[in-house]
C-alpha cells in the first residue's frame, strides 16, 4: 500500500514538472508572430519613350493646270510630306501626337515637285523651249494656335529652274470634331527673276519660232489666291486630306504672253491618304 502511494506521488510530481515547463512555452508560443523577411525594392531603369522625330507622308491624285498659264487642267499623281515634330536636345518643335493639333512655333522641310513642260504636247506652245521637271527643296516656319495658323516657306529649285521661290499663307481653322479639321485662308506666291523668266518669259529665239512677243519676266509677287482644306484623321497614324486652291497671276506673271493666251486664273485640287511615322533614336 505504501509503495502504491509513493508511486502515485512520484507520478504526480512528474506531471506537475511537465506542466510547469509546458505552460510558459505555450504562453510564449501563443505570442509568437512571424518574423517578416527583409523586403528588397527593385528599381527599373527609366526608359525615354518620347519620340525624337514625327513626320507625315502622303500620296494621292491632283488636278492641276497643264503648265503655268494653261487654261485646262490635267490629272496627275500627288505626293506630300511634312515634319510634325522634332526634338533636338532640350529643344522641340511641333506636336508628337498624331491626333492632337500642334500648337506654337514649328519648323519643317518644304518641297514642291513641278512636272516637265513638253511643248510638243500643246499646239499653243509650239516654238517655246521645253522645261525639265523641277524639285524645289527648302525650309518652312509656322505658328499655329487652335483657331488659326500662319506660315512661310522658302525653296530652292533643282532641275528645270534653279531660282528661289516662297509662299506666305494664313488659315482660319475649324474643328467640328476631334478628328476633322477644316481650313481656309489666303495665299501669296513669290519667285525670283530666274524662276519668273523660266516659266513666263519668252526669249528672242523663242519669239521668232513661236510668234509670241519677246518678254523678259521679272520676279516678285507672282500670284495670290485662297485655299480651302479638309483633314480627317482615322487614328494617330492614318488620315485623309483634301484641298482646293485658286490662284490669280500678278505682275509679270499676269503680263506674260503665255498667260495672256491661256489663263491667269489657276485652280488646283488634291486628295490623298497620309501616314504618320514616329521615330525614337
Amino acid at each position: 500500500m505504501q509503495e502504491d502511494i509513493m508511486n502515485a506521488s512520484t507520478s504526480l510530481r512528474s506531471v506537475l514538472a511537465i506542466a510547469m515547463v509546458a505552460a510558459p512555452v505555450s504562453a510564449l508560443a501563443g505570442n509568437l508572430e512571424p518574423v517578416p523577411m527583409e523586403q528588397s525594392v527593385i528599381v527599373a531603369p527609366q526608359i525615354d519613350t518620347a519620340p525624337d522625330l514625327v513626320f507625315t507622308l502622303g500620296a494621292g491624285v491632283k488636278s492641276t493646270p497643264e503648265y503655268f498659264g494653261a487654261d485646262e487642267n490635267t490629272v496627275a499623281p500627288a505626293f506630300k510630306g511634312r515634319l510634325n515634330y522634332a526634338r533636338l536636345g532640350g529643344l522641340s518643335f511641333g506636336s508628337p501626337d498624331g491626333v492632337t493639333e500642334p500648337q506654337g512655333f514649328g519648323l519643317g522641310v518644304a518641297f514642291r515637285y513641278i512636272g516637265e513642260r513638253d511643248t510638243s504636247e500643246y499646239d499653243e506652245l509650239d516654238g517655246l523651249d521645253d522645261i525639265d521637271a523641277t524639285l524645289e527643296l527648302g525650309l518652312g516656319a509656322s505658328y499655329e494656335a487652335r483657331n488659326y495658323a500662319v506660315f512661310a516657306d522658302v525653296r530652292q529649285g533643282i532641275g528645270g529652274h534653279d531660282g528661289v521661290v516662297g509662299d506666305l499663307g494664313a488659315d482660319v481653322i475649324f474643328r467640328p470634331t476631334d478628328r476633322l479639321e477644316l481650313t481656309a485662308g489666303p495665299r501669296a506666291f513669290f519667285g525670283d527673276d530666274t524662276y519668273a523668266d523660266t516659266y513666263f518669259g519668252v526669249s528672242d529665239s523663242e519669239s521668232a519660232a513661236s510668234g509670241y512677243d519677246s518678254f523678259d519676266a521679272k520676279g516678285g509677287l507672282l500670284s495670290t489666291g485662297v485655299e480651302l482644306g479638309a483633314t480627317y484623321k482615322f487614328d494617330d497614324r492614318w488620315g485623309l486630306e483634301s484641298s482646293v486652291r485658286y490662284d490669280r497671276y500678278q505682275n509679270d506673271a499676269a503680263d506674260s504672253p503665255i498667260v495672256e493666251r491661256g489663263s491667269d486664273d489657276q485652280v488646283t485640287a488634291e486628295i490623298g491618304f497620309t501616314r504618320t511615322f514616329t521615330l525614337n533614336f
Side-chain angles (χ1 to χ4, degrees), residues 13 42 54 73 85 235 252:
R13 285 198 301 270
I42 300 176
V54 181
N73 277 27
Y85 175 79
D235 52 33
D252 274 16

Side-chain angles (χ1 to χ4, degrees), residues 80 82 112 149 151 153 155 167-174 181-189 224-231 241-248 266-271:
K80 65 170 53 181
R82 64 175 174 269
R112 182 176 70 152
F151 70 88
D153 294 341
R155 304 182 300 273
D167 283 292
L168 291 177
D171 279 324
V172 176
I173 303 174
F174 304 93
E181 178 182 284
L182 305 176
T183 60
R187 300 289 187 266
F189 175 78
T224 56
V226 62
E227 182 171 325
L228 308 177
T231 299
E241 296 186 4
S242 62
S243 64
V244 177
R245 176 167 172 167
Y246 165 78
D247 288 291
R248 187 174 182 85
Q266 307 282 283
V267 177
T268 302
E270 183 175 330
I271 187 169

Side-chain angles (χ1 to χ4, degrees), residues 62-67 72-77 122 267 269:
K62 64 180 178 180
S63 172
T64 185
E66 294 175 328
Y67 54 87
E72 294 185 1
N73 277 27
T74 185
V75 176
Y122 311 102
V267 177

Side-chain angles (χ1 to χ4, degrees), residues 25 47 58 60 71-72 85 88 114-115 136 139 152 168 170 176 180 186 188 191-192 202 219 234 236-237 254-255 271:
V25 172
I47 300 176
D71 56 4
E72 294 185 1
Y85 175 79
L88 303 172
I114 305 173
E136 296 174 350
L139 296 174
L168 291 177
L180 178 62
D192 65 5
V202 179
F234 301 108
D236 60 351
R237 294 185 179 183
D255 295 335
I271 187 169

Side-chain angles (χ1 to χ4, degrees), residues 67 118-128 210 212 261:
Y67 54 87
D118 185 352
T119 57
S120 65
E121 297 180 356
Y122 311 102
D123 293 339
E124 66 273 20
L125 298 183
D126 186 34
L128 297 181
S210 65
Y212 283 98
R261 186 175 296 189

